Amino acid sequence: MKINILAIESSCDETSASVISDGKILNNIVATQSVHEKYGGVVPELASRAHQQHLVPVIHEAIETSGIDKNELSAVAFTRGPGLMGSLMVGVSFAKAFAYSLSIPLIEVNHMEAHILAHFIDDPKPKFPFICLTVSGGHTQLVLVKDYLQMEVIGETLDDAVGEAFDKTAKLMGLPYPGGPLIDKYAKEGNPKAFPFPVSDMPELNYSFSGIKTAVLYFLRDKIKENPQFIEENLADISASVQFTLIKMLTQKLKKAAKLHRVKDIAIAGGVSANSGLREELNRLAADLNWNVYIPKFEYCTDNAAMIAMAAHYKFLSNSFCGLDTSPLAKMKIGN
């Protein structure tokens, strides 16, 4: 009997479903939500309503295109957390009802663990133990991955995540949401050392990104007093300088963690792992430090159900199921 699992992801503003069969991802259906763009960020209530509209069509398409009948499913997996409570509830509620109607087990998945396990969707795959730098709009973590379901957070941000830092500084520059990809775009044409910004150095392997947002705020305020067109005239150089500083902060701790734990296999995950500057710097470090660097395909970097499905596959193999009384968790730590 094949292990066929339907996975559902609804933690933030992406509604996604995926079917995995014996560890092979068959599809990855994603419905995006454009409603948040005009508000400059994700509006939780609007996200929940959009999930309610998108979930059934997305799941229907995932099952139809997989070639697997719903009665051939072995389990239903869902994102339990972390995420927006209302959004999580939509996915969790559907997963419970669907699994109950088919009399098959439920598998709860930690969204952050799933980001890491996205590296096992395609080849090449990292070898244990490896360090994963997870970078997104909500999280920045250094995780020592000892096995598929054995992970330890060895460093994390104490305030803003790096994705927030990108988006918030972009907003200060007058760029639309989400601003992170736009900073990456403009940075390619700029001088990364045009404007020096302070690099925060927190204890041990932890991060802090709130300081650079404040530094950019005061920097732009003073420059605009001298020249009201300063941002427009220096957009590329400002973007390159901000990106250079954020990447430097990320890689300083990553190098320290790799040395401390004597690890050569390095992975990155999360939406910010799509940043071209970060990818280039990691490849440069790989050559200098003899690292093996692993980066998932772009479609598996952002929030998606394929990574939930991959995590669920390993949980199924370990008989790690949950009951119908399982509730979503807005905050959920790795190992929780």
Side-chain angles (χ1 to χ4, degrees):
M1 292 289 291
K2 286 189 174 182
I3 301 172
N4 301 319
I5 303 172
L6 168 70
I8 299 168
E9 154 62 17
S10 67
S11 63
C12 190
D13 62 339
E14 307 283 355
T15 311
S16 183
S18 175
V19 176
I20 186 172
S21 180
D22 282 347
K24 181 182 179 181
I25 296 295
L26 301 182
N27 51 33
N28 186 36
I29 312 302
V30 181
T32 59
Q33 299 179 7
S34 59
V35 66
H36 308 284
E37 292 175 5
K38 62 181 178 181
Y39 297 103
V42 177
V43 181
E45 178 61 27
L46 294 180
S48 303
R49 293 179 185 179
H51 283 305
Q52 289 178 315
Q53 295 171 343
H54 294 160
L55 193 61
V56 171
V58 163
I59 290 172
H60 177 75
E61 184 176 349
I63 295 175
E64 284 289 304
T65 59
S66 71
I68 293 174
D69 188 84
K70 66 180 181 180
N71 294 308
E72 297 177 287
L73 291 173
S74 310
V76 178
F78 61 91
T79 301
R80 186 183 184 188
L84 301 175
M85 182 57 79
S87 295
L88 290 168
M89 286 181 67
V90 175
V92 173
S93 299
F94 185 96
K96 287 181 182 180
F98 198 55
Y100 182 76
S101 70
L102 295 173
S103 299
I104 56 177
L106 277 168
I107 302 174
E108 60 164 287
V109 173
N110 183 310
H111 182 86
M112 302 310 298
E113 293 177 1
H115 267 305
I116 296 169
L117 293 175
H119 289 90
F120 296 94
I121 294 175
D122 293 319
D123 290 324
K125 300 177 176 68
K127 298 179 180 64
F128 301 113
F130 67 91
I131 289 175
C132 185
L133 172 64
T134 306
V135 280
S136 68
H139 298 85
T140 301
Q141 294 179 330
L142 283 168
V143 182
L144 180 63
V145 186
K146 304 172 185 178
D147 205 340
Y148 298 110
L149 302 177
Q150 190 179 359
M151 308 175 190
E152 177 188 356
V153 177
I154 55 176
E156 60 188 336
T157 182
L158 302 179
D159 41 58
D160 287 355
V162 69
E164 287 179 283
F166 270 111
D167 287 339
K168 288 179 178 178
T169 53
K171 190 173 183 178
L172 293 173
M173 294 157 60
L175 299 177
Y177 175 86
L182 292 174
I183 287 184
D184 186 21
K185 174 185 174 182
Y186 295 125
K188 294 174 182 177
E189 308 297 326
N191 176 8
K193 297 184 179 179
F195 306 111
F197 292 110
V199 175
S200 301
D201 187 13
M202 302 304 289
E204 300 174 342
L205 296 175
N206 293 319
Y207 295 101
S208 171
F209 296 102
S210 61
I212 188 170
K213 178 193 65 177
T214 305
V216 172
L217 172 67
Y218 290 134
F219 168 79
L220 293 177
R221 182 197 63 183
D222 295 341
K223 291 294 184 181
I224 290 172
K225 285 181 181 178
E226 301 171 7
N227 175 14
Q229 305 302 315
F230 177 77
I231 294 177
E232 291 82 354
E233 294 173 3
N234 297 275
L235 184 58
D237 284 347
I238 300 169
S239 298
S241 299
V242 168
Q243 181 164 289
F244 173 82
T245 305
L246 290 172
I247 291 173
K248 184 177 181 180
M249 292 166 66
L250 288 171
T251 54
Q252 276 185 345
K253 295 292 186 177
L254 181 58
K255 287 188 289 184
K256 185 176 180 181
K259 184 177 181 180
L260 180 64
H261 292 276
R262 299 178 181 178
V263 170
K264 290 293 185 180
D265 277 25
I266 305 295
I268 59 170
V272 181
S273 64
N275 180 276
S276 63
L278 178 58
R279 289 177 175 234
E280 289 171 8
E281 179 62 12
L282 281 174
N283 287 326
R284 187 190 69 80
L285 289 173
D288 290 348
L289 301 174
N290 196 29
W291 284 355
N292 302 309
V293 171
Y294 301 88
I295 308 172
K297 290 180 181 178
F298 177 76
E299 65 181 300
Y300 303 135
C301 290
T302 53
D303 294 347
N304 67 91
M307 68 182 194
I308 304 300
M310 185 54 66
H313 172 73
Y314 292 113
K315 297 196 79 170
F316 189 101
L317 294 178
S318 67
N319 292 312
S320 182
F321 303 110
C322 65
L324 290 170
D325 58 344
T326 302
S327 300
L329 297 173
K331 294 183 179 181
M332 188 176 183
K333 295 181 179 180
I334 281 180
N336 190 339

